[in-house]
Amino acid sequence: MSWDFDYCSTSALNNLLKANGLGMTKKFGQNFLINKAALEKIVSLSTAACGLSVWEIGPGIGALTSHLLATGAKVTAFEIDRGFCKILKEQAFADEKNFTLVEGDALKTWKQVWKENGTPDIICANLPYNVGSVLIASFIENRCLPSIMVYTLQTEVVRRICALPGDADYSGFSVVTCADYENSLSITLKPGNFWPAPNVDSAVVTMKKREKSLLDPSTEKAFFPTVRAVFSQRRKTVRNNLKALGKTPEQIERALEKAGISPDERAENLSVEKLAILTSALSE
Ligand code: SAM
């Protein structure tokens, strides 16, 4: 049973934190979502439902968690703030059998949980901006690939996740996030939807796993280091950036030719498919 708490009332939030001797910490990107309609919409985008497993990163004191639990889903929540963990365990979800809390830095704890329990059906989170992109890349590069991921992030980061080759926002992160997922910007959220209000606009991105990955299993391990190298210096050509992989100039020329990529091409014009062919050609 979840508790009956008004997560959208700033005075209720203030009083609860005060009563527990807590405050909001900037370094952990603590901005609670206080718009009930947005919380409901995020949960509906996540497709959370009875019996499905959901990971939530950064539950805070449980605003999104309580909506996820209301669907009957089994929620594993990763929270770094000890004070929030205490509220989650002792007050908010003390008797909730579908709630599991993993205390500590999600960047360090998620792999063990994954090893023990496998990939969740869903990841849904209002992510701390400072760790958001690192965490998403870490899930994907380690091949923890749930069928759906729904994230609230800085709009700028969501634009990068949804960008296509040639777009101003296209980056190595766009390649990493779209190799296995089809991504779309689902909601935009002005700072006033959060407490305290952040300095930037936010957006919700829905990432749906592709029926078939754009990566071949035989090259997927080498793909991510190749992408990192190709995008390492924006001003440099692909040929120059590839030197970081320790290949000879001849190997690089040959691989580029095989992939049909001009040596003077810039990374921001290369699709996932082209980069996958390049990865495979480099390993020959
Ligand atoms: N889910 C709540 C909501 O939607 O209102 C809170 C979201 S708030 C933007 C981010 C939350 O992530 C905070 O509770 C913060 O303490 C937590 N957090 C920050 N860094 C973290 C990390 N490395 N691992 C786990 N939780 C983290």
Side-chain angles (χ1 to χ4, degrees), residues 27-34 39 56-65 78-81 84 104-107 126-131 194:
K27 79 168 177 194
F28 291 148
Q30 293 173 346
N31 304 95
F32 292 163
L33 185 51
I34 52 168
L39 287 163
E56 185 194 356
I57 318 299
I61 54 170
L64 185 57
T65 328
F78 299 74
E79 177 56 58
I80 200 168
D81 187 303
F84 293 173
D105 182 347
L107 287 164
N126 173 10
L127 276 180
Y129 297 141
N130 47 349
V131 293
F194 299 87

